[in-house]
Amino acid sequence: FQFCDGQAKQLAIRCDEAHFLKDDTLMNTSLVNTQRSLSHLNTADAWISTLDNALRTVFAKHRAKRPDPAQGMNTLTLSEAERKEAGALMRVNHVGEVCAQALYASQALATRDPVLRAHFQDASDEETDHLAWTESRLEDLGAHPSWLNPLWYAGAFGIGYVAGKLGGDAASLGFVVETERQVEAHLHEHMQRLPKADLASHAVVAR
């Protein structure tokens, strides 16, 4: 009886250990599944936020946080030809600002580095002022934004996202730096082509 009693106790202990291991395994599995669910949720939230930002960039009217550099400048001295030329150039500049928003949004979505993501978001916030200024200048000139802005945005976003995912953060930063260098050269060219009398457009492009 003592032998049987000892076996029973050992069997009970082993059963308890088995239940404990099973419960522990179930708990770990549940934790992993929860983390995966949160990861999917965060990814979904990020894409929804990015889509919302894209729609606002392309279709919404923007407001700058900083004062408009063209505010208060007289544009009545422009001839009709000068107004059309300035409007066409500012439309191209506005497209550039739309693409800059797409580029920063795609890079922020692609990176896993929270510091780098914050850097891209700050850059996007700063570029929103430029977007608002060029938009306002187009209105003053009687011109309109490009009808192809949704396509320009989608193309820039796709290029930026692929560069960020395939090249990593180093390539992503290099891509952004080179893009900004090209934009500076482009703006310098536009400064030369804008009508000299259009001081308001010159002020916007210079910022």
Side-chain angles (χ1 to χ4, degrees):
F1 288 102
Q2 290 180 352
F3 177 75
C4 291
D5 186 55
Q7 283 186 324
K9 289 181 179 180
Q10 290 180 359
L11 182 60
I13 292 172
R14 289 177 181 175
C15 288
D16 290 340
E17 290 177 347
H19 283 298
F20 175 79
L21 291 174
K22 181 179 179 180
D23 291 342
D24 188 53
T25 301
L26 290 174
M27 185 179 297
N28 289 334
T29 302
S30 177
L31 180 60
V32 170
N33 289 336
T34 300
Q35 290 174 340
R36 288 177 178 173
S37 297
L38 289 175
S39 176
H40 291 319
L41 181 62
N42 291 338
T43 301
D45 286 345
W47 276 102
I48 291 173
S49 176
T50 301
L51 176 59
D52 177 71
N53 181 69
L55 294 174
R56 291 175 183 273
T57 298
V58 176
F59 298 110
K61 183 176 179 61
H62 303 88
R63 297 184 180 277
K65 296 179 180 178
R66 293 175 291 173
D68 189 338
Q71 188 174 5
M73 292 188 176
N74 186 10
T75 59
L76 298 178
T77 57
L78 294 178
S79 67
E80 186 63 24
E82 289 175 329
R83 188 178 297 275
K84 288 183 177 180
E85 176 70 11
L89 291 172
M90 292 307 295
R91 182 180 299 112
V92 175
N93 289 334
H94 183 263
V95 169
E97 299 299 339
V98 169
C99 291
Q101 289 292 324
L103 178 62
Y104 289 128
S106 62
Q107 300 286 344
L109 185 64
T111 184
R112 295 183 177 181
D113 185 345
V115 176
L116 190 56
R117 183 181 300 111
H119 168 75
F120 287 132
Q121 291 170 342
D122 289 341
S124 176
D125 289 341
E126 181 178 349
E127 289 297 327
T128 299
D129 285 351
H130 297 158
L131 185 63
W133 295 338
T134 54
E135 189 176 275
S136 176
R137 189 69 195 125
L138 282 174
E139 292 180 1
D140 291 342
L141 291 168
H144 60 79
S146 171
W147 303 119
L148 298 178
N149 273 343
L151 294 180
W152 299 133
Y153 187 99
F157 185 93
I159 293 173
Y161 188 77
V162 170
K165 281 298 186 183
L166 296 184
D169 289 342
S172 179
L173 281 174
F175 180 78
V176 171
V177 169
E178 179 58 28
T179 300
E180 291 178 346
R181 184 180 295 116
Q182 295 294 329
V183 168
E184 288 179 2
H186 158 82
L187 292 177
H188 178 73
E189 179 187 351
H190 274 209
M191 289 285 285
Q192 306 302 316
R193 294 177 58 187
L194 280 169
K196 293 183 179 180
D198 189 3
L199 300 179
S201 293
H202 277 275
V204 170
V205 174
R207 291 292 296 273

